[in-house]
Structure formats: C-alpha cells, structure tokens
Amino acid sequence: MTAIAIQSGDDPAGIPLGVWPEIPDHIADLARMLAERIRNNRSVQDLRSSVRSEERLYETVCEIVDLAVTKPGDFGLNAGIAHRLSHEATFQAEVVKATMVLASWLYPLSRIIYLLEGLEEIHIYRWDHWIVTGRGIKIMLGEAGNPFGNDERVLSF
C-alpha cells in the first residue's frame, strides 16, 4: 500500500493515519480525458453500471489507451505523450490505473480500490473514519483528501 501518505500521529487505537490516495498530477489531465471518452462511449451505447462492466474495466481502459496511441490526433494527444504511452510501460501502467479510477462506476471509492496496492479489506465506521488493510498493513483514512463530506454522502453513494 505504498500509495498512501502517512500523516504524523496515530488514531487512539494506534493505527497510523493515512491520506486518501490521489491520482498523480503529471497524468491527471490525460486520465480525465481518457475516462471522459469511456463515459461518452457508455452513454452512446446506453450502458448502465454493472458488475460485468466493472470487471471489464481494465480491458476497456487498455483498449482506449491503445486507440489513443494508434490515433493520437483523434484524442488530441501530442506525439510525445503517444510515444510515452506506447514505449514506457511504467507510464502506461500509471495512466491505465488513473483512468480506471476515474472511469469506474464506483468513483470516488475507486480511489481506494485501484490506487492502493494489495488492498484486502475496507471498513467504514463514519465518513471520516475508514480502515483499510492489506499485505499486513492497517491504515486509517480520515478527513484528509476524503471525497465524502458526511455520512449521508457515503450512504447515498
């Protein structure tokens, strides 16, 4: 779970405080553009949220990234970004993951699901008290970076 920044201090139970994971700034605009293309395609096809579409999200994002690489002009990509997407595996993996976060039907919960490596469990006690565990690590996510402003927003999600 290296994507979580640890804040100073712990909660009363001794669990380290973390900050909600964010999409890195250097790929945020590209990921937003690709996710918007996926949402537009869903709208045109009148697709609704489903377990199947979430299970296929990785493939869907990889397909749109491949299309952006082969037809960068259609996506408004400059040649440098298209080249990086096709030749830099680490960059491509970051873009795919960030696009999955934004294109997921589960957004903003997808920030935890797709950005935290080795995630095993999520426990929600209040909008500002989430415990995430994975690979022997337990971290509390509180208000810092939390996209939910109150319990009602969590429940209506």
Side-chain angles (χ1 to χ4, degrees):
M1 284 202 228
T2 58
I4 292 184
I6 304 296
Q7 296 178 330
S8 60
D10 294 339
D11 84 327
I15 301 171
L17 294 176
V19 176
W20 276 67
E22 296 279 349
I23 294 170
D25 289 339
H26 71 281
I27 58 170
D29 290 339
L30 177 57
R32 274 192 284 277
M33 183 270 299
L34 294 170
E36 181 66 24
R37 183 65 68 104
I38 291 169
R39 286 190 296 273
N40 288 342
N41 289 347
R42 287 175 181 159
S43 179
V44 166
Q45 297 172 19
D46 197 30
L47 296 176
R48 305 285 181 226
S49 64
S50 69
V51 172
R52 172 101 171 102
S53 72
E54 197 67 27
E55 288 174 340
R56 278 204 80 251
L57 184 58
Y58 177 77
E59 290 83 13
T60 301
V61 170
C62 287
E63 289 167 6
I64 207 80
V65 167
D66 289 344
L67 191 57
V69 166
T70 58
K71 298 181 178 185
D74 292 354
F75 287 79
L77 293 183
N78 66 43
I81 296 295
H83 180 80
R84 286 188 73 194
L85 276 173
S86 65
H87 289 86
E88 295 179 27
T90 302
F91 180 71
Q92 185 183 56
E94 282 184 306
V95 170
V96 166
K97 188 183 294 189
T99 304
M100 287 176 66
V101 169
L102 297 172
S104 173
W105 295 101
L106 301 172
Y107 186 82
L109 184 60
S110 59
R111 285 173 49 190
I112 295 174
I113 295 169
Y114 296 121
L115 293 178
L116 297 182
E117 299 293 326
L119 178 69
E120 293 173 3
E121 293 182 3
I122 302 170
H123 298 270
I124 307 167
Y125 298 98
R126 293 188 318 255
W127 75 272
D128 61 346
H129 188 140
W130 299 56
I131 306 290
V132 293
T133 59
R135 292 189 187 154
I137 297 172
K138 183 183 269 190
I139 297 170
M140 184 179 110
L141 302 177
E143 289 184 52
N146 188 324
F148 300 99
N150 56 47
D151 288 331
E152 287 78 35
R153 290 206 50 208
V154 174
L155 293 172
S156 66
F157 166 75

